[in-house]
């Protein structure tokens, strides 16, 4: 599944980035990446990512069957981290959850979209049926990026997030019903190829 | 290029007509050329072989049916057998290498093969095999630019499938460019 990595992508701003799965050798770089994030960003994360203990635990528990971590780098510096979380067993085994963090200086350059797209491609290969992203209502640009890839707002959970300052925020769950989109294309093929009615294209 | 006449062929459900539509759309809307699309309405369309006839030209097209086929894209054995006689000498044949075994070709025909179904399966969706073939066709013929073709794909496929379709296009394009 990962034989095409590492691969390079070019931003409109001219920078060249490398995309690849996280490796054991990335521990220090990943910690440095999280330490460099503004406090405002980490305030909403589930874990204390600036703690080396947390990073140590992540690397000790690295299991690509449960969490697929993809990083983007400039030279050897991590500038974005994305993960696809899946359940191996149980009722949610058809669902993948996508999480993304991008370094402040690389925002509004298309990095988040590239990373989201990469995780989406991996999810397609894994034949996942539904993808979800959990965002806050004020993450407008992130919501737009998810929407550009076919995600829709599925639910709003009120006061679901409490930041480190004790303020509550609403959480939006965005979902992408993979099979529904592909069924639409399949129907398009059948209708066009058999009936010749392609007036709606 | 002044005029190129082509047939896109395969079996129903492979997205044959969509492929033809995308070539025409890319040429006419995004590259300011002229294009026509005709679907096979005759008895040959029943029972398997499906075809789209596309003409792309620099000047207005006065007759939309393909008379001499410059390029044949064949994504199934049956469609290959049915339509290869219409391919003219020195024409171009593009075929799905795991689904078509080509026989004797008209004189001077250049043939190119792509495992579009296998590439699409590797991407996770077999249904994008036609778009892999479209990318390959674009690289082989150069009739329409990849940028115009991708704009047409983006404007046509259902939202939510766009990114993987564009990736499928790139995979097909690279397959030829990488000399595979």
């Amino acid at each position: 599944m990962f034989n095409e990595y590492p691969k390079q992508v070019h931003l409109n701003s001219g920078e060249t980035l490398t995309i690849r799965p996280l490796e054991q050798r990335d521990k220090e770089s990943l910690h440095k990446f999280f330490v460099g994030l503004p406090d405002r960003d980490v305030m909403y994360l589930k874990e204390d990512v600036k703690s080396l203990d947390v990073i140590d635990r992540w690397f000790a528990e690295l299991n690509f069957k449960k969490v697929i971590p993809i990083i983007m780098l400039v030279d050897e510096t991590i500038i974005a981290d994305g993960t696809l979380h899946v359940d191996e067993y149980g009722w949610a085994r058809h669902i993948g959850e996508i999480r993304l963090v991008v370094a402040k200086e690389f925002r509004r350059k298309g990095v988040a979209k590239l990373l989201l797209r990469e995780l989406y491609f991996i999810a397609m290969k894994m034949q996942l049926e539904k993808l979800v992203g959990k965002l806050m209502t004020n993450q407008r640009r992130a919501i737009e990026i998810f929407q550009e890839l076919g995600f829709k707002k599925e639910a709003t959970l009120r006061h679901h997030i409490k930041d480190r300052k004790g303020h509550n925020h609403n959480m939006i769950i965005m979902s992408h019903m993979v099979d529904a989109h592909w069924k639409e294309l399949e129907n398009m093929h059948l209708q066009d190829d058999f009936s010749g009615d392609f007036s709606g294209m | 290029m002044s005029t190129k006449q082509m047939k896109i062929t395969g079996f129903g459900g492979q997205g044959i007509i969509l492929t033809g539509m995308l070539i025409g759309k890319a040429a006419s809307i995004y590259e300011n050329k002229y294009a026509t699309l005709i679907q096979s309405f005759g008895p040959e369309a029943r029972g398997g072989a499906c075809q789209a006839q596309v003409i792309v030209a620099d000047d207005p097209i006065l007759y939309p049916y393909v008379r001499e086929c410059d390029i044949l894209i064949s994504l199934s054995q049956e469609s290959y057998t049915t339509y290869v006689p219409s391919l003219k000498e020195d024409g171009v044949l593009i075929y799905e290498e795991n689904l078509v075994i080509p026989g004797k070709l008209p004189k001077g025909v250049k043939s190119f093969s792509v495992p579009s179904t296998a590439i699409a399966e590797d991407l996770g969706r077999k249904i994008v095999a036609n778009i892999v073939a479209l990318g390959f066709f674009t690289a082989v013929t150069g009739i329409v630019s990849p940028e115009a073709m991708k704009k047409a794909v983006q404007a046509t496929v259902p939202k939510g499938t766009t990114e993987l379709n564009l990736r499928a296009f790139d995979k097909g394009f690279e397959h030829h460019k990488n000399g595979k």
Side-chain angles (χ1 to χ4, degrees):
Chain A
M1 185 178 295
F2 302 111
N3 55 7
E4 62 187 297
Y5 297 106
K7 62 182 179 188
Q8 300 212 305
V9 289
H10 306 285
L11 301 181
N12 289 338
S13 54
E15 286 128 320
T16 299
L17 307 183
T18 301
I19 306 181
R20 64 168 170 81
L22 190 73
E23 296 171 11
Q24 286 294 341
R25 66 182 163 111
D26 297 315
K27 192 192 286 185
E28 200 179 313
S29 312
L30 189 68
H31 183 240
K32 204 171 161 185
F33 164 72
F34 282 122
V35 167
L37 290 175
D39 285 343
R40 184 184 149 76
D41 288 1
V42 296
M43 184 152 65
Y44 310 110
L45 298 179
K46 277 187 171 178
E47 295 194 77
D48 180 9
V49 293
K50 295 196 179 194
S51 156
L52 192 53
D53 289 344
V54 170
I55 303 294
D56 277 342
R57 179 167 54 75
W58 283 3
F59 277 83
E61 293 172 356
L62 212 56
N63 177 356
F64 277 61
K65 287 181 180 171
K66 289 182 176 173
V67 182
I68 295 153
I70 300 292
I71 51 174
M72 295 178 81
L73 308 100
V74 174
D75 298 323
E76 288 301 306
T77 305
I78 296 175
I79 58 102
D81 171 60
T83 44
L84 176 64
H85 299 250
V86 288
D87 281 347
E88 265 189 281
Y89 306 101
W91 55 265
R93 65 189 179 282
H94 60 303
I95 298 172
E97 183 186 336
I98 289 176
R99 298 178 193 168
L100 303 172
V101 189
V102 177
K104 194 178 176 188
E105 57 272 32
F106 279 89
R107 290 180 199 164
R108 299 200 167 271
K109 289 185 171 188
V111 171
K113 189 173 179 184
L114 285 170
L115 188 51
L116 177 58
R117 201 171 61 172
E118 210 61 36
L119 292 162
Y120 168 80
F121 292 149
I122 293 169
M124 292 298 102
K125 285 189 181 191
M126 294 174 72
Q127 303 291 321
L128 292 173
E129 293 169 28
K130 180 177 180 178
L131 302 178
V132 295
K134 294 173 182 169
L135 301 159
M136 285 188 308
T137 41
N138 62 357
Q139 290 180 292
R140 290 192 191 90
R141 181 57 197 140
I143 291 168
E144 281 172 18
I145 291 167
F146 274 81
Q147 284 172 332
E148 283 167 20
L149 263 86
F151 283 75
K152 288 178 181 164
K153 288 180 192 174
E154 183 167 332
T156 302
L157 306 182
R158 297 187 66 235
H159 295 187
H160 200 71
I161 297 168
K162 187 180 284 293
D163 66 30
R164 291 188 185 171
K165 288 182 178 170
H167 301 128
N168 290 340
H169 302 270
N170 296 342
M171 176 193 275
I172 294 177
I173 298 181
M174 302 203 65
S175 65
H176 181 112
M177 307 300 286
V178 177
D179 281 354
H181 291 292
W182 290 101
K183 195 76 193 163
E184 197 181 332
L185 183 64
E186 196 183 315
N187 289 340
M188 195 187 231
H189 283 357
L190 291 172
Q191 189 177 343
D192 299 341
D193 289 355
F194 287 112
S195 74
D197 176 13
F198 44 86
S199 54
M201 277 187 183
Chain B
M1 183 203 80
S2 53
T3 300
K4 288 288 176 194
Q5 302 184 49
M6 58 201 100
K7 288 182 179 177
I8 300 98
T9 70
F11 50 80
Q14 277 183 310
I16 300 302
I17 305 304
L18 178 66
T19 309
M21 170 61 93
L22 290 169
I23 295 170
K25 207 169 185 174
S28 59
I29 297 177
Y30 300 108
E31 291 214 326
N32 215 20
K33 293 177 181 170
Y34 294 87
T36 58
L37 167 69
I38 295 287
Q39 187 189 4
S40 172
F41 291 111
E44 73 275 16
R46 308 285 175 201
C50 168
Q51 68 151 332
Q53 297 187 12
V54 178
I55 300 177
V56 174
D58 293 328
D59 301 308
I61 298 159
L62 303 177
Y63 184 72
Y65 288 90
V66 169
R67 284 171 291 193
E68 285 195 300
C69 184
D70 298 299
I71 302 162
L72 174 67
I73 301 177
S74 196
L75 301 184
S76 75
Q77 187 66 46
E78 189 180 346
S79 70
Y80 168 82
T81 307
T82 307
Y83 297 111
V84 77
S86 65
L87 186 58
K88 73 175 196 185
E89 286 187 2
D90 301 323
V92 171
L93 169 69
I94 293 171
Y95 64 95
E96 213 297 353
E97 73 181 41
N98 295 320
L99 298 179
V100 177
I101 302 168
K104 194 173 184 311
L105 295 170
K107 190 181 157 194
V109 164
K110 288 181 191 152
S111 69
F112 302 86
S113 67
V114 57
S116 52
T117 309
I119 291 173
E121 279 172 343
D122 188 50
L123 291 173
R125 292 281 156 176
K126 192 174 159 184
I127 196 169
V128 297
N130 64 325
I131 305 296
V132 175
L134 183 71
F136 187 75
F137 158 85
T138 307
V140 168
T141 66
I143 287 172
V144 181
S145 71
E147 292 76 21
M149 216 55 116
K150 286 167 87 164
K151 280 182 192 167
V153 170
Q154 208 159 1
T156 309
V157 300
K159 199 177 175 185
T161 70
T162 310
E163 295 299 330
L164 199 69
N165 271 300
L166 291 174
R167 186 163 166 83
F169 180 90
D170 286 340
K171 287 280 181 186
F173 192 85
E174 287 161 13
H175 188 81
H176 179 67
K177 290 293 174 193
N178 294 339
K180 287 180 185 169

